[in-house]
Amino acid sequence: MNSSDLITIEFGLAIIQILDLDENRQLLRTNCWLRYTWRDPLLSWDSWAGSQFENITQVRLFPYDVWTPDIRLHNFADERLLEKRMARVVVYSDGTVLWIPQALFKSTCPVEIEFFPFDTQVCFLEFGSWTYDVTQLNLTWFGFEYEQFKYEPNPYVDFTNYIKSNEWYSDGQDEFRTRPSMRSRQTRSRIRCTNRTYQAANGQLYNRTYKRLEYKIRMHRNPHFYLSILVLPCILLSCLTWVIFWLPPESPAKTQLGMNIFVAFFILLLLLAETTPSSVRTFPLIGYFYCLNMVTITLSTFLATLVINLYIRAEKQGRLHPLLRRALLEGLGRMFLIRQAYPLADKQQQQQQQQQHQEQQQSPTR
């Protein structure tokens, strides 16, 4: 009735489906229903005289025929001009207006892949008035009917009509029937206010405060697909690295096996680079594990080549020097707890002398 009146808008977000999360471009595509309700005294006909309107309690109008709030998605990343589909407005006899349009949103979402493929993403959808400040428009939560005709503000994304995704699992899809004040798993949304300073024509400064509703969606990735193509082959290839040291020294398959495993890890690393974004702050830990395995395979192949070289040189140049043999077999052998299958030369002589001495002692008795 007056331009200085404060109008209260109850706003709610109901998610229908998570269409896609583009990790490379860090964009989230969702199918949502928006819920608006407010009271417009200019659209009320309860006080009208006449019996011809007594049985009409509600009418349905096009949104361009009445006033609608200019609430927009602030973190949008869409090339389209329109996000919402046409939906009529339900106007009740007391002036209450209910508007539930459908919308396909494309919003920005920072992606963290440190624990890929066991990562969790938290995306935000910020809604607020584009021109009205808090002195003109009061934006608050949409009511949740937990009992018949009993409502409570719902600071959560509504998952009542949610279609479950095969790739992502959200906390809200199991608590959509729970009363908002009793929910424990779903991430609570929040209200944010932003102050802006403007300068009037006379040079005087004045402030305006704008309110935004920040809805949070926490999603957990389903790792089953990535376990079969990234994690399980990595574990099997890591076990094959031990086989390199079990092969006999004269076998040329030692170096061939090492190079084949190295190429297989390199292919897995390329596959990981295709499935994860390149411009991120943290590299996934599984990528570090791949690189560590490649370094280990390189060292094992180098040591296998060294063993083959020593084996071939031993056949051509004879036995190893006694001091070097003692340092390697006794020193490093005891350090790594390796049992000597062939004793050293001095130990063999001591054992032979002890046996001869025992035989000499036993011969007189015989």
Side-chain angles (χ1 to χ4, degrees):
M1 304 300 294
N2 195 333
S3 60
S4 61
D5 293 340
L6 176 65
I7 183 171
T8 300
I9 306 293
E10 294 183 5
F11 179 80
L13 177 65
I15 185 169
I16 305 301
Q17 188 178 9
I18 298 175
L19 300 177
D20 181 34
L21 178 60
D22 191 346
E23 286 128 349
N24 289 315
R25 301 174 59 189
Q26 298 191 4
L27 298 177
L28 175 67
R29 294 177 60 245
T30 54
N31 179 14
C32 302
W33 291 355
L34 304 180
R35 295 172 178 172
Y36 304 84
T37 181
W38 68 91
R39 188 176 183 278
D40 192 344
L42 298 177
L43 301 178
S44 175
W45 65 87
D46 278 345
S47 59
W48 290 5
S51 60
Q52 55 180 345
F53 305 111
E54 291 180 357
N55 295 327
I56 300 178
T57 58
Q58 57 184 5
V59 294
R60 289 162 179 82
L61 307 173
F62 288 102
Y64 50 77
D65 292 332
V66 297
W67 179 87
T68 55
D70 61 339
I71 297 177
R72 298 290 184 267
L73 177 65
H74 284 203
N75 60 330
F76 73 100
D78 205 341
E79 301 86 2
R80 299 172 301 167
L81 297 178
L82 296 178
E83 301 171 341
K84 303 174 185 176
R85 293 187 176 183
M86 177 63 67
R88 294 199 177 190
V89 176
V90 180
V91 182
Y92 295 91
S93 58
D94 60 348
T96 302
V97 182
L98 177 64
W99 187 29
I100 308 179
Q102 297 173 328
L104 296 176
F105 290 120
K106 182 185 289 186
S107 58
T108 59
C109 179
V111 178
E112 296 291 340
I113 59 169
E114 182 179 1
F115 301 101
F116 179 86
F118 306 97
D119 54 330
T120 300
Q121 308 297 335
V122 180
C123 297
F124 304 89
L125 283 85
E126 297 184 4
F127 294 92
S129 176
W130 200 252
T131 56
Y132 295 103
D133 58 1
V134 294
T135 62
Q136 299 169 314
L137 189 144
N138 180 28
L139 189 61
T140 183
W141 307 111
F142 196 84
F144 178 83
E145 187 177 6
Y146 59 94
E147 292 183 6
Q148 189 175 7
F149 305 116
K150 292 184 179 180
Y151 294 89
E152 179 181 322
N154 185 17
Y156 297 96
V157 179
D158 190 3
F159 283 82
T160 303
N161 301 307
Y162 177 70
I163 301 174
K164 294 183 179 180
S165 174
N166 294 327
E167 185 179 1
W168 299 99
Y169 167 79
S170 182
D171 298 334
Q173 65 187 47
D174 296 331
E175 288 188 329
F176 62 91
R177 293 189 180 91
T178 308
R179 186 173 176 177
S181 58
M182 301 177 64
R183 297 182 184 181
S184 57
R185 298 181 56 187
Q186 189 176 2
T187 306
R188 183 184 177 93
S189 304
R190 60 180 180 176
I191 298 177
R192 298 184 62 182
C193 295
T194 304
N195 295 323
R196 292 287 186 268
T197 303
Y198 301 96
Q199 185 175 7
N202 57 2
Q204 185 178 2
L205 300 179
Y206 62 94
N207 295 326
R208 290 289 184 267
T209 302
Y210 298 91
K211 182 186 289 187
R212 301 195 307 270
L213 301 183
E214 188 179 84
Y215 284 94
K216 297 181 182 180
I217 303 176
R218 184 168 59 184
M219 303 176 297
H220 308 276
R221 190 189 302 272
N222 185 5
H224 295 141
F225 174 74
Y226 298 99
L227 284 175
S228 60
I229 67 172
L230 293 178
V231 179
L232 183 60
C234 179
I235 296 175
L236 297 178
L237 291 174
S238 300
C239 296
L240 283 178
T241 309
W242 304 339
V243 182
I244 298 177
F245 297 96
W246 292 344
L247 293 175
E250 65 273 9
S251 176
K254 294 173 70 70
T255 56
Q256 295 178 2
L257 180 61
M259 294 305 299
N260 291 334
I261 297 176
F262 184 88
V263 172
F265 268 110
F266 186 74
I267 295 175
L268 287 178
L269 191 62
L270 293 178
L271 183 61
L272 178 65
E274 293 181 357
T275 56
T276 55
S278 56
S279 57
V280 292
R281 291 180 296 179
T282 56
F283 193 69
L285 296 179
I286 188 173
Y288 288 115
F289 184 68
Y290 286 169
C291 296
L292 179 62
N293 275 276
M294 294 173 68
V295 172
T296 305
I297 293 170
T298 303
L299 294 177
S300 63
T301 306
F302 174 77
L303 294 177
T305 306
L306 181 61
V307 170
I308 295 175
N309 187 15
L310 294 177
Y311 178 80
I312 296 175
R313 291 180 61 186
E315 293 180 351
K316 295 181 179 180
Q317 300 181 4
R319 300 177 63 85
L320 192 64
H321 193 274
L323 296 178
L324 183 60
R325 181 181 177 87
R326 181 179 296 276
L328 292 176
L329 297 183
E330 287 194 351
L332 296 179
R334 291 179 180 178
M335 182 184 299
F336 293 103
L337 303 178
I338 299 176
R339 182 177 61 86
Q340 300 297 328
Y342 301 96
L344 299 178
D346 53 354
K347 289 188 177 181
Q348 292 179 355
Q349 294 176 1
Q350 292 178 2
Q351 291 178 359
Q352 292 177 0
Q353 293 177 1
Q354 291 179 0
Q355 291 179 0
Q356 292 177 1
H357 182 69
Q358 292 178 358
E359 291 177 357
Q360 292 176 2
Q361 291 181 353
Q362 293 176 1
S363 57
T365 57
R366 291 180 181 177

